[in-house]
Amino acid sequence: MLNTAILSWVTFIYFGSFAFYLFSMVTVRKFWGRLASFTALIGLLTQTAALIIRWIESYNLGIGHAPLSNLYESLIFFSWTIMLLYLIIEWRTKNRSLGAFVVPSAFLFMAYASLSPDINNRIQPLVPALQSNWLTSHVITCFMGYAAFAVSCALGFMYLLKGSERGTGNSSAIFLRFIPPLEVLDELNYQIVVLGFVFLALGIMTGAIWAHYAWGSYWSWDPKETWSLITWLIYAAMLHARFMGGWRGRRMAIIAIIGFVSVLFTYLGVNYLPGLHSYL
């Protein structure tokens, strides 16, 4: 189908963007940075067009639903939210160093969706549990939260990398100069986590309402629900530690990385466990 062919090309566009971001940090040339941003924007616009085409093709097939209903479509949408959020941050901060750490995640999710033989990329009818108007709001809020946590994880790695330079006094790595100061990384990480925390909370609430209509219960302790709660609690503890305990810097960076591991298990790991969400 046309949309899958376009999305396959988007995978390579994001890889090219990542390579350009990396070149810009290693060679210290603004040309590569501008090219990386331009490539990333082209990738996002192309991906947006492919999602719209897939949505239209769904209606032409008589199925008619937003492209958010199976693992392939969720991986594509997850990648789209990561790139959207990243480009907004780049535009606001005027710093491109984050791209070398965030864009690889969008590329890997696209590559997994496009190249894995175990993932069905066909447009399929909705299973009965997904035939609800809550589908779109639940998925969008959850993946906006996941995307924020992906960016937070990248900021955590950047903080630890920049911090290691300060600890050893070794400034030989030129590209580290382009990473923002530790205080800026810590503050940006905090803001992104707050954003993700709010979106994940909304995702859990819309999911609970949807579950009530689909399965007759707001909460069933399904593996996906349980791990969503665990992930939410990890980030709640992170924010609590900052507000009440004054945690900053390295400890927050480590929790951001741990939190995203929990996000990945909530999203992908629990799909291999029996439960109400096993259709993904």
Side-chain angles (χ1 to χ4, degrees):
M1 301 183 74
L2 177 61
N3 70 86
T4 56
I6 296 174
L7 289 169
S8 295
W9 279 105
V10 171
T11 304
F12 297 103
I13 293 174
Y14 285 156
F15 178 77
S17 175
F18 160 62
F20 297 146
Y21 277 117
L22 203 57
F23 289 161
S24 72
M25 294 187 69
V26 174
T27 63
V28 200
R29 293 186 61 183
K30 291 183 179 179
F31 165 77
W32 293 112
R34 296 192 187 100
L35 183 60
S37 299
F38 178 75
T39 308
L41 181 60
I42 291 298
L44 180 66
L45 294 175
T46 306
Q47 189 175 8
T48 303
L51 286 170
I52 293 172
I53 291 172
R54 187 177 180 88
W55 199 341
I56 295 172
E57 288 177 346
S58 170
Y59 277 92
N60 291 338
L61 291 172
I63 298 174
H65 61 73
L68 305 167
S69 63
N70 57 25
L71 181 57
Y72 174 80
E73 293 175 345
S74 68
L75 284 165
I76 298 297
F77 187 69
F78 191 9
S79 171
W80 184 86
T81 55
I82 290 172
M83 291 304 297
L84 175 66
L85 185 59
Y86 165 69
L87 286 172
I88 292 173
I89 293 172
E90 181 185 298
W91 172 65
R92 291 290 303 274
T93 63
K94 310 300 181 189
N95 188 296
R96 294 188 171 97
S97 61
L98 184 57
F101 295 84
V102 174
V103 175
S105 61
F107 159 70
L108 289 174
F109 286 124
M110 288 294 295
Y112 181 41
S114 301
L115 304 176
S116 174
D118 299 325
I119 295 180
N120 187 352
N121 61 11
R122 293 183 178 179
I123 300 173
Q124 299 168 306
L126 293 173
V127 298
L130 297 181
Q131 295 174 5
S132 168
N133 292 328
W134 288 98
L135 170 66
T136 303
S137 57
H138 174 62
V139 173
I140 289 176
T141 49
C142 281
F143 279 102
M144 285 302 295
Y146 288 177
F149 296 142
V151 174
S152 171
C153 178
L155 287 166
F157 278 116
M158 292 174 71
Y159 188 96
L160 296 179
L161 194 59
K162 186 79 172 180
S164 66
E165 178 199 38
R166 174 182 287 185
T168 60
N170 179 15
S171 58
S172 58
I174 297 176
F175 70 92
L176 290 181
R177 301 175 190 171
F178 293 90
I179 295 179
L182 293 177
E183 295 74 16
V184 175
L185 291 174
D186 185 57
E187 181 62 24
L188 186 57
N189 194 10
Y190 158 69
Q191 294 176 7
I192 292 297
V193 168
V194 170
L195 182 69
F197 182 75
V198 171
F199 272 114
L200 182 59
L202 291 172
I204 292 175
M205 286 190 286
T206 54
I209 297 171
W210 181 10
H212 176 68
Y213 285 106
W215 299 311
S217 173
Y218 289 103
W219 197 266
S220 305
W221 295 108
D222 172 77
K224 177 83 75 176
E225 295 173 349
T226 303
W227 274 94
S228 294
L229 179 61
I230 291 172
T231 299
W232 186 84
L233 288 174
I234 289 174
Y235 287 104
M238 181 179 181
L239 295 175
H240 179 78
R242 185 180 179 97
F243 286 129
M244 305 304 295
W247 283 26
R248 296 287 190 280
R250 181 180 174 83
R251 286 185 291 189
M252 302 300 283
I254 292 174
I255 298 176
I257 295 170
I258 294 173
F260 190 60
V261 172
S262 180
V263 168
L264 290 177
F265 188 78
T266 301
Y267 173 41
L268 297 173
V270 299
N271 294 332
Y272 297 97
L273 301 176
L276 296 172
H277 291 79
S278 57
Y279 48 80
L280 290 175

